[in-house]
Amino acid sequence: MPAPSTSASRAPLPPPAPSLVPASSQTPGTLPAHEGSRFLRYGVAVASVALAFAVQQGLWSITHGMPFLAFFAAVMFSGWRGGWGPGLVATGLSLVTVDYFFLTPVHTWKVLPGALFQLSLFLALSLFVTMLNARLRKANAERATLLERERAARAAAEYERTRLRELFMHAPAHLAIFRGPDHLFELSNPLNSAMLGNPDLLGKPAREVGTKEEAERISRLLDTIYATGEPFQGKEIPLQLKQPDGSVREYYFDVTYTPTHDTQGRVDGVAGFGFDVTEHVKARARAEQLARELSHNEEHLRLLAGASSFLATSLDYEATLHNVVRLAVPTLADWCIVDMAMEDGTYKRMEVAHARTESEALAERLRTPPPEACCFPMTGAGALLSKGQAFFVEDVTDAALLKLTEDPGWMELLRSLRLRSFAVVPLVARERTLGVISFATSHASGRHYTMADLPFLQELANRAALSMENARLYREAREAVRLRDEFLSIASHELKTPLTPLNLKLQSLRREMDRTPGPVSRALVESYLEVGTRQLKKLAELVNDLLDVSRIASGRMSLNSARVDLAELVRDVVASYEGPAARAGSVLRVEGVDAVTEGWWDRPRLEQVVVNLVDNAIKYGQGRPIDIRLETRDGHAVLTVRDQGIGIAAESLPRLFGRFERAVSERHYGGLGLGLYITRTLVEAMGGTVRVESQLGQGAVFTVDLPLRAEQPAGLPAPS
């Protein structure tokens, strides 16, 4: 709270107190200078004697028996007015005058014994009165001096009091003076009154000012000081004060409470001095916090540096996941969970680690969560994770846990963990979300995350994601190398397969021509030509498949749409493959190809799709019947090719349409593993889908779904 201005509102101080003449500089028994000079005082003594003579002379008929009456008055006046000197002068003149003019014998200097006694008595009384007057005059002079000093002292005290009050009222400190056992405010400077929010504090008890709790605390402290008389000093004492807007703000003060005493030494009040050190305390707290954060950040940087090398120790995917949780627990978290993202948008639990202080039974339950618990609700954490953002909760509540799961059982499990704070951070590498990693602290350890920890956790997750991505790429690279080597082996074998019988037939034809001097039998030549043509066709198909894969990989395959009757195309393909099917022992049974099924497709590519499916069914059909069915359904043409052959294992189904993928051994079945990959690519490029249903040993069903378009499409998507 700012202190009020001390330049505009300060009242002018009174002038300094007048200089005082020291008591030692004044002669006792003298009047101040303004009462007259020495000559005047002696003149007054002579005049008073002359006046007394005139009065005594005029009243002689009445005062005949009291010749000293008027002169005694003159001596008294002279002594009172002038002190010892004028009093003695008046006494001497009075003795001479009375002796000469008023004592018998008159007008002579002769003194009779009776007159001598009277003169002696007058002299004694005059000296006594003069002494009294001198002392009285001295006492009056000293009294006047004391009064002057008292007045000057009062003026000086008032000046100092005014100056002290001025200093109190404009001091850059909070000052207050309390009186009596009820601690009534006797003084409160504007800074203190403004802080307490009450400009009119005088006369109010301390326990009625401020918030109830703080007023009681201060009153108890004042009671102790008032009762014991011992001062109190405190450093950085917290004080809760109510603000004008109704809020309560915390201040810190360095305070000193000192008892005040009355003239008899008894405690009659308490003076309080306070200095607002709130900003100093906050600045120091901020500096300490920055120092802690700096130390924390340095620790984080060291940990990240170690994490990078630690995570790079393995290129195995599962080992990398294990290293991630080992790195987090117990150094950073009490719980660490890794969930990997699946293609269907759900998450698969991969790793769960916990500190030794946590329950292993709860960890086992976390390792086998219900399926619905692995999907974050899209209204809570899932919405942030889908955008690649972290979900952070500094203080865990039930409302925060509801953003992680809506399953009651899973919710109860999370409550059992007694989490204090947690962060769910997506594992993002190359703009691809690999999964999420969850860090959590529990009340058992007392650790607590703040927003300052979130960037570090995100950076750790990013490095872990990059390590996992590198492990995945390494695994895929190894798999690609394996597939390449396998493909080269299969391709060399497959390319040799049609060339070997062709070469044998040509050698046989050469030997026949050498053995027979005349023309060779036409039937023999035609048989050799049929075998050669069939092998050349097979070789051309292999080469075309390789070219198609190259075009697909480079994005250079184009489709030319035209109106095509799919039923007619299927009939043509079936007719051309009846011979190969018969040689394999299979029968092609066709349904639904009598009706016209027209759409806009690329005819050569669509024919390639049908040929691949029929050829695939003949190859793996084990000589059993093959059913080919065509029908229309909801504006789509649906082609089904069913065989009753060896079937496909369940674990091979997800990768069946991949490049170079095979569900059987190449030693028993030929092929490059490209037919279904090309089929899927072409069907999707024409806006359709292809799927397979199969069980091992029970055949397979391939279904192609193509949209029937009445008009030529604006453009077909390029295959990828």
Side-chain angles (χ1 to χ4, degrees), residues 68 100 121 164 181 226 233 279 295 312 326 351 404 409 440 442 463 525 569 584 617 652 674 690 704 710:
F68 295 98
Y100 186 78
L121 181 60
L164 183 60
Y226 192 88
Q233 286 186 337
E279 296 303 323
S295 176
R326 283 180 56 198
E351 289 283 346
L404 287 177
S442 70
R463 298 194 183 196
V525 174
L569 187 148
S652 299
L674 297 174
V690 59
V704 176

Side-chain angles (χ1 to χ4, degrees), residues 175-345:
L175 305 175
I177 296 178
F178 306 93
R179 280 286 176 257
D182 293 331
H183 316 303
L184 304 179
F185 276 92
E186 184 180 85
L187 181 143
S188 175
N189 68 345
L191 188 61
N192 188 64
S193 299
M195 178 194 69
L196 296 175
N198 191 340
D200 187 17
L201 292 175
L202 302 185
K204 291 185 177 180
R207 60 176 43 87
E208 295 181 4
V209 177
T211 60
K212 182 177 180 181
E213 295 78 6
E214 294 295 344
E216 288 296 329
R217 183 164 67 95
I218 296 299
S219 296
R220 288 194 297 270
L221 177 61
L222 294 177
D223 288 341
T224 302
I225 297 171
Y226 192 88
T228 62
E230 296 293 332
F232 171 82
Q233 286 186 337
K235 295 290 186 181
E236 299 176 3
I237 303 299
L239 187 63
Q240 304 285 338
L241 295 177
K242 194 172 183 180
Q243 302 301 299
D245 59 359
S247 63
V248 176
R249 179 185 174 188
E250 185 175 43
Y251 291 83
Y252 291 90
F253 286 90
D254 288 346
V255 298
T256 299
Y257 287 103
T258 303
T260 61
H261 302 82
D262 58 14
T263 56
Q264 298 177 354
R266 294 175 298 189
V267 176
D268 64 349
V270 178
F273 306 87
F275 295 91
D276 189 353
V277 293
T278 304
E279 296 303 323
H280 171 73
V281 172
K282 290 183 177 179
R284 187 183 62 205
R286 179 60 179 164
E288 293 174 353
Q289 180 183 359
L290 290 176
R292 288 193 300 269
E293 290 179 358
L294 180 60
S295 176
H296 198 51
N297 290 338
E298 290 177 352
E299 181 182 355
H300 284 175
L301 289 176
R302 289 195 298 269
L303 188 58
L304 286 176
S308 297
S309 59
F310 182 66
L311 291 174
T313 56
S314 174
L315 287 174
D316 180 74
Y317 195 81
E318 287 73 15
T320 300
L321 291 179
H322 186 64
N323 287 343
V324 170
V325 297
R326 283 180 56 198
L327 185 65
V329 177
T331 306
L332 300 174
D334 300 315
W335 291 94
C336 183
I337 302 173
V338 179
D339 296 311
M340 299 309 299
M342 310 303 291
E343 293 184 359
D344 59 357

Side-chain angles (χ1 to χ4, degrees), residues 651-668:
E651 61 271 14
S652 299
L653 289 176
R655 58 183 178 85
L656 189 62
F657 290 98
R659 183 168 50 179
F660 307 130
E661 293 290 348
R662 304 167 56 87
V664 295
S665 171
E666 69 276 5
R667 295 180 58 188
H668 300 91

Side-chain angles (χ1 to χ4, degrees), residues 397-418:
T397 60
D398 283 352
L401 294 179
L402 283 174
K403 295 182 179 181
L404 287 177
T405 181
E406 296 175 351
D407 179 77
W410 191 243
M411 182 74 173
E412 185 61 31
L413 175 59
L414 293 180
R415 288 196 188 100
S416 302
L417 298 177
R418 297 183 66 246

Side-chain angles (χ1 to χ4, degrees), residues 393-395 420-421 441-442 445-450 453:
V393 176
E394 188 168 341
D395 295 296
R420 186 176 182 185
S421 55
T441 62
S442 70
S445 67
R447 290 192 291 186
H448 183 239
Y449 291 143
T450 65
D453 296 310

Side-chain angles (χ1 to χ4, degrees), residues 369-385:
E372 62 273 11
C374 289
C375 302
F376 298 100
M378 293 307 297
T379 56
L384 294 174
L385 296 175

